[in-house]
Amino acid sequence: MAELNHSVEQVLLDGLGLGVISLDRELRITRWNEWISLQMQIASQDALGHPLVELFPSVAENGLLQRLNQTLQHGMTQLLSPLFHHHLLPIAISRKADRTEYMIQSIKILPIKDEHDIVGLLLLVEDYTERTTFEKALRKSNDELTAERLQLQTMHEDLKAAQREVVEAEHLKALVETAGATAHEISQPLQALQTSQEILLYEPDAETNPWRPALTKSLQHIESIVQIIRKMQSIQQYRTKPYLRGRNIVDFESASTEKNRSADT
């Protein structure tokens, strides 16, 4: 019956799909299942009775030996994540001329107890290499998608800016043409009006003319209109300003080069 139970136990251990290593208190190997035999290319009979550090000398330096002694002393279960420890047991999965690749693994350390004491340890070794490789590829793909999204967003913003420039250029073209034509049509009769006002203002008996103050004021308004016409003729950009009832009107002051010339002088 005991032999049957042992056989069932061995089948279960070999069918887990992970490595099972049991150790006594001196950290000698007491169980070495088929999975770990295949990965290490070391048969169970060749591993049993040997110290773990003999088959894996690096455990004395990479921290695993310390973790094993902690569990022996305190009886705590420990899970060593592949995110931080990668390959505490150096199990080679491929060898090339210039380098050797090792299995990325998760190791769980459990205490083996009798009624009162800790009599050994059980190590469960799970291969995370394929999962880690997939996660790395997934992160790379996500990074590439994020970069492409940012690039598309930048291109979209550039396209919107270009569209705004096209619309502004069209507005400017229409404004320049309209303002130029309007200024031309107004300037001719305005010059005639200005000449007539000046003749009346500066004629010989102008000093006694009761309309002199009104003529002077009229010439000042004409000069203001002349300045507006100059601004209309020197428009360089499309600018608007708020007007009544939420509407915008052309801001000749900021749209023309006359303002810039005034600022320079």
Side-chain angles (χ1 to χ4, degrees), residues 44-199:
S44 175
Q45 61 268 23
D46 296 327
L48 296 179
H50 290 271
L52 183 69
V53 71
E54 181 180 312
L55 298 183
F56 300 101
S58 62
V59 302
E61 301 173 356
N62 63 20
L64 180 58
L65 186 61
Q66 181 183 359
R67 298 292 187 126
L68 297 174
N69 286 324
Q70 287 175 349
T71 299
L72 279 175
Q73 183 177 356
H74 303 290
M76 57 185 179
T77 297
Q78 299 189 64
L79 178 61
L80 308 181
S81 169
L83 294 176
F84 304 104
H85 302 285
H86 301 299
H87 37 72
L88 292 174
L89 294 178
I91 302 173
I93 55 176
S94 72
R95 289 184 171 87
K96 300 179 181 179
D98 56 340
R99 62 191 176 95
T100 301
E101 294 182 1
Y102 294 96
M103 176 192 296
I104 299 174
Q105 61 208 224
S106 164
I107 298 180
K108 191 171 186 178
I109 307 172
L110 302 98
I112 300 174
K113 300 178 181 179
D114 60 10
E115 292 185 1
H116 305 289
D117 301 318
I118 299 172
V119 296
L121 299 174
L122 185 66
L123 276 65
L124 303 179
V125 184
E126 186 174 359
D127 185 357
Y128 268 71
T129 306
E130 185 174 347
R131 186 184 308 181
T132 302
T133 301
F134 173 76
E135 290 174 352
K136 186 183 295 184
L138 184 61
R139 284 195 298 271
K140 181 181 178 182
S141 178
N142 286 337
D143 291 342
E144 290 174 350
L145 288 174
T146 300
E148 289 179 2
R149 181 178 61 82
L150 292 175
Q151 185 178 6
L152 288 174
Q153 184 176 349
T154 301
M155 292 172 62
H156 178 65
E157 294 298 328
D158 291 343
L159 179 59
K160 288 171 62 177
Q163 289 174 336
R164 286 194 297 268
E165 290 177 0
V166 170
V167 171
E168 184 172 334
E170 292 176 349
H171 286 167
L172 177 59
K173 182 176 181 294
L175 176 60
V176 169
E177 292 174 351
T178 303
T182 304
H184 176 73
E185 294 297 327
I186 294 175
S187 61
Q188 290 184 351
L190 185 64
Q191 287 176 359
L193 178 61
Q194 185 178 24
T195 300
S196 300
Q197 296 279 29
E198 289 175 347
I199 290 173

Side-chain angles (χ1 to χ4, degrees), residues 225-263:
I225 297 173
V226 169
Q227 295 301 322
I228 293 173
I229 290 174
R230 287 177 179 171
K231 291 176 182 177
M232 293 172 68
Q233 292 173 327
S234 60
I235 289 175
Q236 295 294 318
Q237 51 191 337
Y238 179 76
R239 292 289 183 269
T240 61
K241 61 182 178 181
Y243 192 57
L244 300 176
R245 299 179 182 178
R247 293 181 297 173
N248 291 332
I249 59 174
V250 175
D251 185 356
F252 291 115
E253 183 72 22
S254 61
S256 69
T257 57
E258 289 295 314
K259 179 182 178 182
N260 297 331
R261 289 177 187 156
S262 300

